[in-house]
Amino acid sequence: MGYSVNLIKGEVVIPATRTDLALSAIHALNQHDDLKSGWTRIEHPDGTFGRRPHWAFTDAAEIAAAQTLPEMLRAFRYEAMTEPDGEVYGVELIGGTRTAGDDVHLWGALAPYVEAGGELIWLGEDDKLQRWSFDGSTMTVADGRMVFFR
């Protein structure tokens, strides 16, 4: 199973002048098999079995084929809202609710390209919140909790 999340706010801006650099950063991140929590069972030529790592809940072929930042974000299950010049001005989660994957690694790699003030706010299945905020170079993760009052 896993831990289900909803993206309730996806306000991130990646200027058009930085989208190619952001795409390159994700391609570089993709070389880090040690960070990937997904895997596919493979059979070796000698008949033994092993694992091929991949980013959780993604298709490795889509990631490898991505030639633009919106294509790459889509491979990681995000729909990028873009301006005609290519600027990304927000993201939405494809499919609404989904199982949490390796998104913290993706957005950590994108952090230097996201304008300061950007944030992603996640709501978990247990009503816990996480805010991923961007300062123009790094991403900070802060936990929260949803509480209802009468």
Side-chain angles (χ1 to χ4, degrees), residues 14-97:
I14 302 174
T17 57
R18 295 181 178 176
T19 57
D20 287 343
L21 294 170
L23 177 64
S24 294
I26 301 170
H27 279 298
L29 176 69
N30 195 39
Q31 303 306 307
H32 291 275
D33 288 347
D34 59 315
L35 299 176
K36 299 173 182 176
S37 66
W39 58 273
T40 302
R41 182 179 165 174
I42 58 170
E43 185 174 353
H44 297 290
D46 66 0
T48 62
F49 292 98
R51 295 180 175 194
R52 177 178 301 124
H54 62 79
W55 299 109
F57 313 107
T58 66
D59 181 329
E62 286 182 32
I63 291 169
Q67 295 185 21
T68 66
L69 184 58
E71 287 174 0
M72 182 64 81
L73 289 170
R74 180 169 268 287
F76 276 89
R77 305 173 304 160
Y78 293 91
E79 189 65 45
M81 276 95 48
T82 59
E83 295 288 354
D85 69 354
E87 174 180 279
V88 173
Y89 65 87
V91 294
E92 294 177 353
L93 190 62
I94 295 172
T97 301

